[in-house]
Amino acid sequence: MLQQVNGHSSGSDAHGGESLREDLQEFLGGEAPLHQLDDLTKVNPVTLETVLRCLQARYMADTFYTSAGCTLVALNPFKPIPQLYSPELMQEYHAAPQPQKLKPHIFTVGEQTYRNVKSLMEPVNQSIVVSGESGAGKTWTSRCLMKFYAVVAASPTSWENHKIAERIEQRILNSNPVMEAFGNACTLRNNNSSRFGKFIQLQLNRAQQMTGAAVQTYLLEKTRVACQASNERNFHIFYQICKGASADERLQWHLPEGAAFSWLPNPERTLEEDCFEVTREAMLHLGIDAPTQNNIFQALAGLLHLGNTRFADSGNEAQPCPLMDDAKCSVRTSASLLRLPEDPLLETLRIRTIRAGRQQQVFQKPCSRAECDTRRDCLAKLVYARLFDWLVSVINSSICADPGSWTTFIGLLDVYGFESFPTNSLEQLCINYANEKLQQHFVAHYLRAQQEEYTAEGLEWSTVSYQDNQTCLDLIEGSPVSICSLINEECRLNRPSSAAQLQTRIESTLAGSPCLGHDKLSREPSFIVVHYAGSVRYHTAGLVEKNKDPIPPELTRLLQQSQDPLLKVLFPADPEEKSQEEPSGQSRAPVLTVVSKFKASLEQLLQVLHSTTPHYIRCIKPNSQGQAQMFHQEEVLSQLEACGLVETIHISAAGFPIRVSHRNFLKRYELLRRLRPGAAPSPHGPPPDEGRSGWSPHSEQATLQALLQDILHTLPALAQAPAEAMPAPVHCGRTKVFMTDSTLELLERGRAQVLEQCARSIQGGWRRHWGRKQERQRRAAVLIQAAVRSWLTRKHIQRLHAAATVIKRAWQEWRIRMAFLASKELDGVEEQRSSQVTCSPSSSPLPQAQTRLLGAVTRFWPLGLVLANAAVGAHGFRRKLVVFACLPLPVGSPSSYTVQTAQEQAGVTSIRALPQGSIKFHCRKSPLRYADICPEPSPNSVTGFNQILLERHRLGHV
């Protein structure tokens, strides 16, 4: 790299590297601004930093959907945008010839799945996996997709079919409010968090019309009924009945205004999801009539009162725990609402029944206070879980079509995102286990999509190495020994489980797994699992009990005694169920644990996904505050890791993350041909016009391929390695050039080398041109200066000549005028003298007019002298003063004024009349040199133009 440009230092190498990096980023992302990149695979290079910058730029530009290959990334806007999900926009995506050319949207994914089902000769079922953490918008996305399919998949041919289709669509859409009311809750991260996973199967007939749907749920968080974390709430339905019930219903359900319930925290918070009327209306459309609804809400109210039942410690272990004083009314009310006998309810909660021996002898043992609370919570969780499953079955019976009426389906999978909390237990283990399985499925599908792209570009595909999560899956579910098998084994053993003992067994048995860790600083028994999205520490306390999910048989028998019609349906007196609950000691069936049931349902789900064409929507929450126009890169990064996009980026980086079109590649790297000896450095011009004869796309493609190969042949020279030893880190496809990061750095190094050579050549030519230009400018300046100086000298001399001419002419005129005046005055004096000589004293005096005229002439001679010197004398007001001074107007009568000349007093001493005393006239400055200097200065001398005046004392000597 150049260190000096134009004589100035270019800075340090680090600064130059940053400039080069910025230039490279501008080139790689220069095809379009970041907020205009609709696909994250188009960012160059495909790194985590560029992906985050692209998502942030699009989010700030109110663009919330971005494609990522086979995945759609959906950012939660945290503000209502009705026009983004309007029916008109749904029809626009549905009617578009190529919806993939429109802006990325969930409707693009929906339309693509719908057309895949519609257009194929042998239709393949489609599935959409919607994942993300709580508050990312999974529920809203699933809801909008269901509305989209309800709009586009409804085109009946008759009015009767139209009414049937409309009823089916309404039932499918009404299933959402019911499922959200009974399965969603307000958490720290989301006000409407789904606390269960669901797979919705939208069923289509041969005409691709929606005829029905089916819902399958996974792992309901039923522990939330009896235990809520701080600042979280119970399921929405409990708050709906407490806030939306009428006065009669409150009286019937024993829910007075302002009543406090232990299982109803934060009741003062009002959410949009607390709308009771919407839930009731949806249940009515699903076929749940008003009496059945009343039974449901009455049972829920009974659970709330059951939560207020509190026990005190018993002083005697042989006696059951007594009730607290304020709990007796709650037990009575709960038993009344659940239609259960009060005494058997209390006995079941406080006394445990034990069967032992071959004869199954029955023993009763009072429970401790903790055991009483556990049995109370177990009763509430059992009722609510059965109620939720019954609702799902009712919804399915209402919206599911006959097996022979539909041929294909589109599945919507809304599952938990990856979870990691300060305290993680069995729920988080199952959720993260499901995400590991889905991530493995996603990676395999992504690699297939990448292979299809390489095949379309004509590249020879070889499997890239990437970090597989099979090791983590083997740790969780592997055979013969895994975490799940050890937990299930602890459940089958007839012994009390210890958290520390379980931790020891897991660490000792699975110590060879690289995905198992241990926190030595933790005081609580726990183990660490290294998932694909990060490490999670699981506490072993209570893990086995949650996996057992024990339901005491006496609780089930108690609920079977209820007189409530709904509880009779939820807990039928089935002999087969009774035999399963009371197995004999000789033929005890294996315990069906929570992990086993979840694993079986997950395997079934994955079989469905493998039989379909999957599509992925990754919902991202930009910030945890739920505010619009706020993008936190750290939080988004953790979610990208949790949903697998980071792993996808790493897989892409392991292949060919740099993908540049042919034209852009030539535009940037064609100058590398200069490095080849004998290569013509002629620039690559634009392709000829299509209208020109002899042009064809094939000829242009051949020209591009030849130029590309010419450029790629310079790579061995850049790497300083022989061509046969040079690996093939770059492939030239049909429309793009695929390369790795190392190849890009090699090309950039060669480009910098060529640019350095060009810069040196340009600098040498510029310096030569600049020196010649400076010399020409110096010569021109010398010529211009000489010409200007000669011109200025001539002008100065011309001005001096003109001034001298003016002065000479004025002086000559003045001398002539003075000589004339002097001669005229002299002639007048001589005439007067002659007249005095000829005339006698007795002659008659002069006339009065003539006497005045002679006096005026004698007195006004200074005025004439002033007026003659007017060109160089005073001006303006000063001139007027001089005139008035030379005109002493008479004050008295004219006869009293006598004129007496100097000639009459002392004879003729000058050619001019001599005034009384010395009179000096001065001009501002004489144009003649030494004109104002008297040779013999004296106090009464006259200088300047009046040097002809003489002193009076000299008259006496004449």
Side-chain angles (χ1 to χ4, degrees):
M1 181 173 293
L2 293 179
Q3 295 298 320
Q4 192 167 351
V5 179
N6 251 356
H8 299 281
S9 176
S10 62
S12 62
D13 293 339
H15 179 73
E18 292 178 1
S19 301
L20 177 62
R21 192 66 183 174
E22 292 176 359
D23 175 62
L24 181 59
Q25 290 286 351
E26 183 179 358
F27 158 67
L28 294 177
E31 296 185 0
L34 284 177
H35 69 277
Q36 295 182 6
L37 293 177
D38 294 337
D39 198 332
L40 293 179
T41 59
K42 295 180 181 178
V43 299
N44 273 326
V46 185
T47 61
L48 195 57
E49 178 185 359
T50 54
V51 168
L52 281 175
R53 289 174 54 238
C54 181
L55 290 177
Q56 184 175 8
R58 291 178 63 81
Y59 183 74
M60 293 305 176
D62 284 345
T63 306
F64 308 107
Y65 295 105
T66 308
S67 299
C70 60
T71 306
L72 179 69
V73 179
L75 297 171
N76 194 338
F78 289 121
K79 61 181 179 180
I81 310 177
Q83 66 275 11
L84 196 59
Y85 309 99
S86 61
E88 294 78 14
L89 190 62
M90 297 180 187
Q91 291 294 343
E92 179 182 353
Y93 277 84
H94 179 57
Q98 293 180 335
Q100 64 272 13
K101 291 188 176 181
L102 299 177
K103 294 181 179 181
H105 202 285
I106 55 175
F107 298 156
T108 307
V109 181
E111 182 62 24
Q112 183 179 359
T113 57
Y114 183 71
R115 293 191 182 188
N116 289 348
V117 172
K118 185 176 181 180
S119 61
L120 297 177
M121 297 298 295
E122 293 293 334
V124 178
N125 297 324
Q126 307 290 309
S127 60
I128 302 176
V129 181
V130 183
S131 62
E133 75 169 26
S134 180
K138 302 186 301 296
T139 302
W140 174 261
T141 300
S142 301
R143 188 189 308 169
C144 292
L145 284 172
M146 292 179 66
K147 290 182 180 179
F148 175 78
Y149 289 121
V151 171
V152 302
S155 56
T157 56
S158 64
W159 176 255
E160 182 179 357
N161 292 336
H162 175 72
K163 299 298 292 183
I164 296 175
E166 186 178 356
R167 184 172 63 253
I168 293 174
E169 294 163 11
Q170 190 63 34
R171 286 183 177 180
I172 293 175
L173 295 179
N174 284 329
S175 65
N176 277 328
V178 178
M179 299 287 287
E180 292 179 13
F182 286 85
N184 291 19
C186 176
T187 63
L188 293 176
R189 298 183 177 181
N190 184 14
N191 290 339
N192 191 27
S193 176
S194 298
R195 307 317 301 163
F196 67 102
K198 60 177 179 291
F199 182 73
I200 304 175
Q201 190 182 68
L202 304 177
Q203 302 161 347
L204 306 175
N205 58 14
R206 295 185 181 275
Q208 286 74 48
Q209 299 174 6
M210 189 157 43
T211 59
V215 180
Q216 184 178 358
T217 60
Y218 304 94
L219 198 64
L220 173 69
E221 190 187 16
K222 57 185 179 181
T223 56
R224 182 170 290 270
V225 176
C227 181
Q228 304 84 27
S230 178
N231 295 327
E232 293 191 357
R233 301 204 319 174
N234 210 325
F235 292 102
H236 291 324
I237 188 62
F238 291 105
Y239 298 89
Q240 291 180 3
I241 62 176
C242 290
K243 295 181 179 180
S246 62
D248 295 338
E249 291 171 341
R250 289 180 180 277
L251 186 61
Q252 180 183 356
W253 301 336
H254 299 276
L255 297 175
E257 295 255 356
F261 297 99
S262 300
W263 291 350
L264 203 68
N266 303 314
E268 68 281 354
R269 296 181 60 180
T270 302
L271 304 178
E272 182 183 355
E273 291 75 19
D274 294 343
C275 187
F276 191 36
E277 293 300 325
V278 174
T279 304
R280 294 184 114 177
E281 188 71 20
M283 294 176 70
L284 193 60
H285 282 93
L286 291 174
I288 304 176
D289 54 9
T292 306
Q293 292 184 26
N294 185 72
N295 292 334
I296 294 173
F297 303 140
Q298 181 176 324
L300 295 177
L303 296 182
L304 289 179
H305 286 281
L306 181 65
N308 287 346
T309 302
R310 294 180 296 173
F311 300 91
D313 292 327
S314 176
N316 187 0
E317 294 183 358
Q319 297 296 326
C321 296
L323 289 172
M324 301 288 287
D325 294 337
D326 55 349
K328 297 180 181 179
C329 180
S330 298
V331 172
R332 188 180 306 107
T333 304
S334 178
S336 174
L337 293 173
L338 295 175
R339 307 285 294 276
L340 292 172
E342 181 179 353
D343 293 337
L345 174 60
L346 273 177
E347 182 180 353
T348 304
L349 295 179
R350 298 187 297 178
I351 299 176
R352 182 175 58 177
T353 302
I354 302 175
R355 295 178 182 272
R358 293 184 177 181
Q359 283 120 23
Q360 294 292 307
Q361 296 180 0
V362 179
F363 299 93
Q364 290 186 345
K365 179 183 178 182
C367 298
S368 64
R369 178 182 177 182
E371 291 175 343
C372 292
D373 293 339
T374 301
R375 294 170 73 87
R376 177 201 61 196
D377 297 345
C378 182
L379 177 63
K381 291 187 292 184
L382 177 62
V383 173
Y384 194 84
R386 291 283 183 96
L387 175 60
F388 185 81
D389 294 338
W390 177 81
L391 282 173
V392 173
S393 64
V394 170
I395 292 174
N396 286 330
S397 63
S398 175
I399 64 178
C400 187
D402 296 332
S405 63
W406 59 277
T407 57
T408 57
F409 69 86
I410 300 175
L412 298 178
L413 179 60
D414 181 4
V415 296
Y416 294 103
F418 188 84
E419 290 189 354
S420 178
F421 301 111
T423 303
N424 301 284
S425 189
L426 184 67
E427 295 84 0
Q428 283 70 40
L429 180 62
C430 293
I431 290 170
N432 295 337
Y433 165 54
N435 279 274
E436 288 282 355
K437 298 287 286 186
L438 292 174
Q439 172 66 13
Q440 188 183 46
H441 177 265
F442 167 72
V443 169
H445 177 71
Y446 176 79
L447 289 178
R448 277 201 308 270
Q450 194 175 45
Q451 180 179 3
E452 291 175 359
E453 181 181 4
Y454 290 165
T455 304
E457 288 288 337
L459 272 67
E460 295 181 0
W461 166 257
S462 60
T463 303
V464 297
S465 59
Y466 63 94
Q467 183 180 0
D468 193 5
N469 63 341
Q470 186 60 45
T471 305
C472 184
L473 288 174
D474 292 339
L475 174 65
I476 298 176
E477 63 167 5
S479 179
V481 181
S482 63
I483 294 177
C484 291
S485 64
L486 292 176
I487 296 176
N488 289 335
E489 184 178 350
E490 287 289 331
C491 294
R492 287 192 297 267
L493 296 176
N494 190 13
R495 65 180 185 184
S497 177
S498 170
Q501 183 179 0
L502 177 61
Q503 175 190 358
T504 303
R505 287 198 62 189
I506 292 176
E507 291 179 351
S508 59
T509 307
L510 304 173
S513 177
C515 294
L516 181 66
H518 173 61
D519 187 6
K520 297 181 180 180
L521 301 178
S522 177
R523 297 182 178 180
E524 300 178 356
S526 62
F527 60 92
I528 297 176
V529 177
V530 182
H531 294 278
Y532 72 95
S535 300
V536 180
R537 185 164 65 98
Y538 299 97
H539 293 79
T540 56
L543 201 63
V544 176
E545 294 299 325
K546 289 183 178 180
N547 189 37
K548 288 180 181 179
D549 193 17
I551 301 176
E554 53 268 25
L555 290 182
T556 305
R557 289 193 296 268
L558 173 67
L559 292 173
Q560 290 174 351
Q561 299 175 11
S562 174
Q563 300 301 317
D564 185 77
L566 177 62
L567 293 182
K568 285 185 177 182
V569 175
L570 298 181
F571 300 94
D574 192 353
E576 296 182 0
E577 182 179 356
K578 184 175 180 180
S579 63
Q580 291 179 4
E581 292 176 357
E582 301 177 2
S584 62
Q586 298 294 333
S587 59
R588 178 174 296 178
V591 178
L592 190 60
T593 61
V594 172
V595 171
S596 301
K597 291 187 290 185
F598 183 75
K599 184 178 180 181
S601 61
L602 185 59
E603 290 294 338
Q604 182 182 2
L605 173 63
L606 289 175
Q607 290 179 2
V608 174
L609 293 180
H610 282 298
S611 64
T612 63
T613 301
H615 306 266
Y616 298 90
I617 298 178
R618 304 300 198 190
C619 298
I620 303 296
K621 184 166 61 172
N623 58 82
S624 58
Q625 289 78 18
Q627 297 182 6
Q629 294 294 313
M630 182 183 294
F631 191 93
H632 291 167
Q633 290 192 357
E634 294 80 6
E635 298 181 12
V636 174
L637 174 59
S638 64
Q639 294 175 68
L640 293 178
E641 292 175 345
C643 68
L645 278 180
V646 174
E647 186 68 19
T648 305
I649 294 171
H650 292 165
I651 294 173
S652 178
F656 300 102
I658 311 298
R659 307 170 186 184
V660 185
S661 63
H662 287 172
R663 293 185 178 276
N664 290 336
F665 187 85
L666 287 175
K667 184 178 179 181
R668 184 170 183 87
Y669 298 114
E670 189 189 4
L671 49 83
L672 293 179
R673 299 176 63 207
R674 296 172 177 265
L675 298 177
R676 295 195 65 195
S682 59
H684 173 64
D689 298 336
E690 297 185 6
R692 187 179 301 177
S693 60
W695 180 89
S696 65
H698 299 286
S699 62
E700 181 191 3
Q701 188 67 23
T703 304
L704 290 176
Q705 289 289 343
L707 291 173
L708 288 172
Q709 293 300 330
D710 198 11
I711 295 174
L712 296 179
H713 286 162
T714 61
L715 289 177
L718 294 175
Q720 298 179 357
E724 57 274 8
M726 182 69 186
V730 59
H731 291 278
C732 184
R734 293 187 175 91
T735 61
K736 298 179 181 178
V737 177
F738 296 80
M739 68 186 98
T740 59
D741 291 328
S742 59
T743 307
L744 180 64
E745 293 178 2
L746 195 62
L747 290 171
E748 287 297 321
R749 193 186 313 135
R751 183 174 180 269
Q753 180 181 350
V754 176
L755 288 177
E756 181 178 358
Q757 297 175 358
C758 296
R760 292 187 183 277
S761 301
I762 293 172
Q763 285 181 359
W766 171 254
R767 290 192 180 102
R768 184 169 53 254
H769 165 74
W770 182 254
R772 293 175 180 176
K773 183 179 179 181
Q774 291 286 343
E775 181 63 22
R776 289 195 300 267
Q777 289 179 352
R778 189 186 64 80
R779 293 178 181 177
V782 170
L783 293 176
I784 292 173
Q785 288 177 2
V788 170
R789 286 177 183 146
S790 62
W791 180 81
L792 291 175
T793 303
R794 286 195 301 269
K795 296 297 291 183
H796 180 65
I797 293 175
Q798 289 175 2
R799 286 195 298 269
L800 290 179
H801 279 236
T805 303
V806 172
I807 293 172
K808 184 178 180 181
R809 184 182 301 112
W811 171 249
Q812 291 176 354
E813 291 178 356
W814 181 82
R815 290 188 63 183
I816 293 172
R817 186 180 302 110
M818 290 298 102
F820 175 75
L821 291 177
S823 62
K824 190 174 182 179
E825 288 185 5
L826 186 59
D827 294 341
V829 172
E830 292 178 353
E831 290 177 359
Q832 184 179 1
R833 225 179 238 188
S834 60
S835 61
Q836 289 178 358
V837 172
T838 54
C839 295
S840 60
S842 60
S843 60
S844 61
L846 292 176
Q848 186 177 1
Q850 187 176 0
T851 303
R852 292 183 178 178
L853 179 59
L854 291 176
V857 172
T858 303
R859 295 177 57 190
F860 292 163
W861 69 268
L863 177 62
L865 197 59
V866 171
L867 294 178
N869 196 27
V872 292
H875 296 277
F877 182 71
R878 294 178 59 187
R879 183 178 179 183
K880 293 180 180 179
L881 291 178
V882 173
V883 172
F884 289 142
C886 297
L887 292 177
L889 298 178
V891 180
S893 61
S895 59
S896 62
Y897 187 80
T898 59
V899 178
Q900 185 177 4
T901 64
Q903 292 85 347
E904 296 177 351
Q905 297 177 358
V908 178
T909 60
S910 174
I911 59 175
R912 295 183 180 178
L914 184 63
Q916 298 294 330
S918 299
I919 299 177
K920 299 179 182 179
F921 291 93
H922 299 275
C923 62
R924 289 185 177 177
K925 185 175 182 181
S926 174
L928 299 180
R929 194 172 184 181
Y930 306 113
D932 296 328
I933 299 177
C934 181
E936 296 179 358
S938 62
N940 298 321
S941 64
V942 179
T943 60
F945 292 112
N946 304 307
Q947 286 184 2
I948 58 174
L949 300 178
L950 301 178
E951 294 288 343
R952 174 175 299 189
H953 65 273
R954 293 184 180 179
L955 296 180
H957 300 286
V958 177

